[in-house]
């Protein structure tokens, strides 16, 4: 029994001396793992922070002076193109209305010329009033299209300046698009102008024809009056 007790006390003593030794490395291992974890976390945080300057660098590049100028000039070309489109539409519409008014007056001149010598004074006066009204309408529409033509020409100049600014700043696509648009609207306006000029030519011919017939019906109209620019331009002013 005594021997057993001595053996048990020896084992307990051995365990007491051994446990601190085992506990020490355990703590050191845990501490090492903790420090390793901190290093890993630190590395991860460092990687995340390293990504921030790259994003800032890309953002700075997109906000450079050159990029901002190109963006601004593109907005300018878009705005001037919109203005040019609107003024072109208005001008074409006004020119078309003016051309219709001219042809209406041409028709009235021809009808009157065909009826010369077949009408009494009251019928002539009635036709006179219709012709005068048509001339007033034509003049009003002519003034309207001339006003819009001035605005249109200003829009063309602005678009040309914007296209040049885009070219100088390196915004080549914006410049090419603006210049193509300018050429397109110019050709469209030119086509409508040609139609109005053709109508004006027919009006001058109708006026001349009516004046010649009127001279034949009324010998008091001399050749000198027929050949005067004022008579050829507006023979119906003689009513005044």
């Amino acid at each position: 029994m005594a021997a057993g007790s001595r053996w048990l006390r020896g084992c307990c003593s051995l365990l007491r001396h051994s446990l601190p030794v085992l506990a020490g490395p355990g703590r050191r291992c845990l501490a090492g793992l903790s420090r390793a974890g901190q290093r890993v976390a630190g590395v991860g945080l460092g990687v995340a922070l390293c990504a921030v300057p790259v994003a800032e660098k890309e953002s700075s590049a997109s906000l450079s002076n050159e990029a901002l100028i190109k963006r601004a000039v593109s907005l300018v070309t878009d705005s001037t193109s919109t203005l040019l489109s609107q003024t072109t539409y208005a001008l074409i519409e006004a020119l078309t209305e003016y051309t219709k008014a001219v042809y209406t007056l041409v028709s009235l001149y021809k009808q009157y010329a065909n009826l010369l010598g077949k009408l009494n004074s009251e019928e002539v006066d009635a036709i006179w009033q219709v012709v005068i009204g048509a001339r007033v309408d034509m003049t009003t529409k002519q003034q309207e299209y001339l006003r819009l033509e001035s605005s249109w020409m200003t829009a063309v100049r602005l678009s040309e300046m914007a296209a040049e600014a885009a070219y100088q700043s390196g915004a080549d696509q914006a410049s090419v698009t603006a210049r193509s648009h300018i050429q397109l609207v110019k050709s469209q306006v030119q086509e409508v102008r040609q139609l109005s000029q053709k109508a004006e030519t027919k009006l001058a011919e109708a006026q001349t024809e009516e004046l010649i017939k009127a001279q034949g019906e009324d010998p008091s109209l001399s050749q000198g009056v027929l050949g005067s620019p004022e008579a050829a331009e507006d023979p119906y002013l003689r009513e005044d």
Side-chain angles (χ1 to χ4, degrees):
M1 291 292 295
S5 298
R6 286 195 299 270
W7 179 84
L8 181 60
R9 283 195 298 272
C11 289
C12 290
S13 177
L14 179 61
L15 289 173
R16 282 195 302 270
H17 285 86
S18 299
L19 285 174
V21 176
L22 292 174
R27 291 194 190 96
R28 286 195 296 270
C29 289
L30 291 174
L33 289 174
S34 177
R35 286 193 297 272
Q38 291 175 356
R39 285 196 298 272
V40 171
V43 171
L45 180 60
V47 172
L49 292 176
C50 288
V52 173
V54 174
E56 290 179 350
K57 190 172 183 180
E58 292 177 355
S59 179
S60 299
S62 65
L63 296 177
S64 66
N65 288 333
E66 182 178 0
L68 291 174
I69 290 173
K70 287 182 179 181
R71 186 181 304 173
V73 81
S74 296
L75 292 174
V76 171
T77 54
D78 289 343
S79 298
T80 54
S81 293
T82 300
L83 174 62
L84 184 56
S85 295
Q86 292 298 326
T87 53
T88 299
Y89 175 78
L91 176 58
I92 289 176
E93 186 176 32
L95 272 168
T96 301
E97 291 300 315
Y98 166 70
T99 302
K100 291 178 180 178
V102 173
Y103 275 117
T104 297
L105 192 57
V106 169
S107 177
L108 289 172
Y109 272 117
K110 289 184 175 181
Q111 289 178 26
Y112 175 71
N114 292 331
L115 293 173
L116 278 174
K118 303 175 183 178
L119 302 173
N120 58 40
S121 60
E122 292 182 357
E123 291 172 334
V124 170
D125 289 341
I127 292 178
W128 247 205
Q129 295 304 315
V130 174
V131 170
I132 291 172
R135 287 190 65 83
V136 170
D137 182 59
M138 182 194 73
T139 301
T140 301
K141 290 178 178 178
Q142 183 183 42
Q143 292 173 348
E144 176 66 11
Y145 102 72
L146 289 174
R147 182 184 66 81
L148 289 170
E149 186 176 49
S150 178
S151 299
W152 177 78
M153 292 175 67
T154 299
V156 170
R157 288 194 297 269
L158 288 174
S159 293
E160 289 174 342
M161 292 172 64
E164 180 62 22
Y167 174 76
Q168 293 294 337
S169 65
D172 296 336
Q173 185 59 45
S175 178
V176 170
T177 301
R179 293 186 188 280
S180 298
H181 185 237
I182 293 169
Q183 293 301 319
L184 175 62
V185 298
K186 279 184 175 181
S187 63
Q188 291 174 338
V189 170
Q190 183 59 29
E191 289 178 3
V192 182
R193 273 179 178 161
Q194 289 175 351
L195 293 176
S196 68
Q197 290 169 358
K198 183 178 179 180
E200 290 170 346
T201 300
K202 289 186 176 296
L203 176 60
E205 293 173 352
Q207 287 175 326
T208 302
E209 179 183 356
E210 183 275 330
L211 195 57
I212 292 174
K213 288 186 177 182
Q215 183 192 25
E217 294 294 331
D218 188 355
S220 65
L221 290 175
S222 65
Q223 182 64 32
V225 174
L226 176 62
S228 66
E230 292 80 8
E233 179 181 357
D234 192 358
Y236 292 105
L237 290 179
R238 61 179 178 265
E239 71 164 346
D240 297 330

